[in-house]
Amino acid sequence: MAILITGGAGFIGSHFARRMIHQGKRTVVLDKLTYAGNLENLKDVVDNSKTSQLFKFYKGDICNQELVEHIFSEEDIDTLVNFAAESHVDRSISSAGNFIDTDMKGVFVLLEAARRFSIKKFIQISTDEVYGTTHKDAFRETDALNPSNPYAASKAGGDRLAYAYWVTYELPVIITRASNNYGPNQHPEKFIPLFITNALEDKVLPLYGDGRQVRDWIHVEDHCAAIDFIMDHGKDGEVYNIGGGNERYNVDTAHFILDELRKSHSLLEHVKDRAGHDRRYALDCSKLKSLGWKAQIKFENGLKDTIQWYEDNQSWWKRIKNGEFVEYYNKQYKHRFAGTVLP
Ligand code: NAD
Ligand code: TDX
């Protein structure tokens, strides 16, 4: 039997695929290799003759029903973990079409195939963003969903569709909602890698609005360990929050990065805010903790290691930043720098 990891060439999916392979599991990755997908993330696995035997890669779209069914029939899949998604909020604000396709229609195609081939476990990787901004208490799994940007709304659609397949067809679905991930191999469009790499290049760090938004950071390895744990201990039809317990103001995280790299704080610039910017994300993870899981990596330690990784792997991110990213960055940030600069 094999595990199918969709989106396994992306940031979190590649860490999870490596983890499965190192446990000796036959691992099949289906990934469209969008701008965010990168097989270099799995180079160590592919280049090693021992691990490469356990690994098979299909380049393709989760919306392609024929391909998805072909993989199910050829590869003897018993478990599917769906990481495939358009994942960047700012891109969804500029253009939401791909998000609806992949994060909603793609989930539908996977669920239908999983039902047809009667698989044993379907893990839908959702996100804390489906709850919307946290006003007071950290969100529990039973709280209402209130997504406030097109990315979050499309993820909420995939999340609830997966749940509906459990209720309606008893497809063994589990849904996970994690907080903000950080760690090696994260695409430099995201906050932490963007700020580390801009600082390394002595470029401005564009902090949205007043920078007093709060994110709860979880190291990608802690997140993958939690998903692995849930595959063994989670109950079908349930939702599990996965938080790092590291709520930080963005401005503090930015200062920490500059201090670690011994760069001037004058690189930090307050720029025009993100439309509909969620002020705070916070998760109550007592449900998962009661089963015996907790995050292991302290944010400041994990962030120091992550900064080191970006210092040591400049060719990895420079290749990305010199490609499609140039046009994206100019388009995305030009109007921000023209906006109000806060004190
Ligand atoms: P990512 O953008 O780094 O990776 C997404 C991967 O999916 C890429 O390899 C991309 O090529 C692939 N993909 C996109 N569209 C596809 C399609 N139609 N068919 C097949 N493959 C496709 O994203 P990530 O940060 O690794 O996030 C992975 C998952 O975790 C996503 O579902 C995201 O919503 C969720 N999540 C992310 C975070 C975070 O902080 N990064 C937090 C919570 C949940
Ligand atoms: O240039 C920036 N400046 C800035 O101040 C960028 C890119 C971000 N930010 C802020 C916005 C957020 O408050 O930093 C915070 C983090 O931003 P992102 O890295 O874009 O993450 P976020 O919008 O919080 O969403 C992330 O967490 C939930 C992931 O991208 C999602 O895929 C996940 O579901």
Side-chain angles (χ1 to χ4, degrees):
M1 300 307 267
I3 182 166
L4 174 59
I5 301 179
T6 47
F11 166 45
I12 309 171
S14 62
H15 282 269
F16 191 74
R18 179 179 300 102
R19 185 181 179 93
M20 293 297 102
I21 291 164
H22 284 164
Q23 289 178 7
K25 295 198 174 114
R26 205 162 70 74
T27 301
V28 178
V29 165
L30 166 61
D31 197 296
K32 191 177 172 183
L33 297 182
T34 66
Y35 77 91
N38 188 352
L39 268 180
E40 238 189 282
N41 294 348
L42 286 166
K43 196 174 173 329
D44 53 329
V45 166
V46 177
D47 287 353
N48 176 323
S49 58
K50 265 195 198 149
T51 48
S52 67
Q53 286 169 15
L54 291 167
F55 177 67
K56 185 149 177 194
F57 180 71
Y58 286 86
K59 180 178 185 308
D61 194 327
I62 59 165
C63 299
N64 181 340
Q65 183 191 340
E66 209 179 311
L67 173 64
V68 169
E69 290 189 352
H70 169 79
I71 295 171
F72 270 96
S73 65
E74 284 294 301
E75 303 293 348
D76 214 3
I77 304 297
D78 66 349
T79 301
L80 191 162
V81 187
N82 179 31
F83 293 93
E86 288 293 336
S87 69
H88 193 37
V89 173
D90 291 324
R91 290 190 195 247
S92 82
I93 292 168
S94 307
S95 173
N98 293 343
F99 289 75
I100 308 303
D101 290 343
T102 295
D103 303 4
M104 291 171 78
K105 168 84 192 300
V107 178
F108 163 67
V109 171
L110 295 177
L111 287 164
E112 275 295 302
R115 185 159 83 94
R116 207 179 134 208
F117 287 84
S118 308
I119 70 163
K120 292 210 184 77
K121 191 80 63 197
F122 187 115
I123 313 265
Q124 170 62 13
I125 306 298
S126 186
T127 167
D128 60 357
E129 296 214 10
V130 297
Y131 296 113
T133 199
T134 313
H135 293 290
K136 202 168 142 258
D137 296 334
F139 284 119
R140 301 180 73 108
E141 290 84 350
T142 45
D143 282 322
L145 305 191
N146 195 17
S148 45
N149 61 65
Y151 161 73
S154 67
K155 288 295 293 185
D159 177 315
R160 289 299 81 194
L161 191 62
Y163 181 69
Y165 270 63
W166 156 252
V167 176
T168 313
Y169 308 113
E170 292 183 19
L171 185 72
V173 166
I174 295 179
I175 295 145
T176 65
R177 297 180 185 146
S179 61
N180 282 62
N181 282 226
Y182 70 100
N185 299 106
Q186 187 170 28
H187 192 283
E189 69 189 355
K190 305 282 169 30
F191 173 65
I192 285 184
L194 180 70
F195 276 33
I196 297 171
T197 59
N198 275 13
L200 285 168
E201 295 182 304
D202 291 308
K203 288 185 179 154
V204 166
L205 275 53
L207 191 64
Y208 295 168
D210 63 2
R212 304 268 299 169
Q213 306 83 8
V214 174
R215 293 297 181 267
D216 169 14
W217 295 99
I218 184 166
H219 193 278
V220 64
E221 291 301 343
D222 267 335
H223 183 194
C224 291
I227 299 165
D228 196 357
F229 180 86
I230 288 167
M231 286 203 309
D232 291 336
H233 303 281
K235 251 181 76 188
D236 293 343
E238 294 291 321
V239 178
Y240 295 96
N241 286 343
I242 308 174
N246 297 299
E247 284 188 59
R248 300 286 184 278
Y249 288 117
N250 290 341
V251 65
D252 292 341
T253 302
H255 284 302
F256 185 91
I257 291 169
L258 288 168
D259 285 340
E260 273 303 303
L261 291 171
R262 296 198 174 79
K263 296 285 182 179
S264 165
H265 287 222
S266 64
L267 284 177
L268 200 59
E269 196 171 314
H270 290 270
V271 299
K272 188 163 182 263
D273 207 351
R274 172 185 281 174
H277 198 168
D278 283 334
R279 198 72 185 157
R280 173 178 169 228
Y281 293 140
L283 290 177
D284 179 326
C285 299
S286 45
K287 183 172 173 182
L288 188 54
K289 283 183 181 157
S290 72
L291 296 182
W293 176 87
K294 84 173 198 304
Q296 302 290 331
I297 303 172
K298 196 174 169 299
F299 181 57
E300 282 67 23
N301 296 342
L303 186 51
K304 277 184 194 174
D305 291 348
T306 302
I307 292 169
Q308 190 63 52
W309 188 87
Y310 281 90
E311 279 194 278
D312 294 343
N313 290 276
Q314 306 219 3
S315 60
W316 182 89
W317 56 264
K318 280 192 172 152
R319 199 180 55 67
I320 296 172
K321 273 188 134 179
N322 289 333
E324 172 266 359
F325 193 75
V326 177
E327 197 188 329
Y328 159 79
Y329 195 74
N330 288 339
K331 217 167 124 193
Q332 186 68 239
Y333 286 86
K334 209 168 118 203
H335 77 281
R336 293 195 190 285
F337 285 115
T340 319
V341 177
L342 299 170

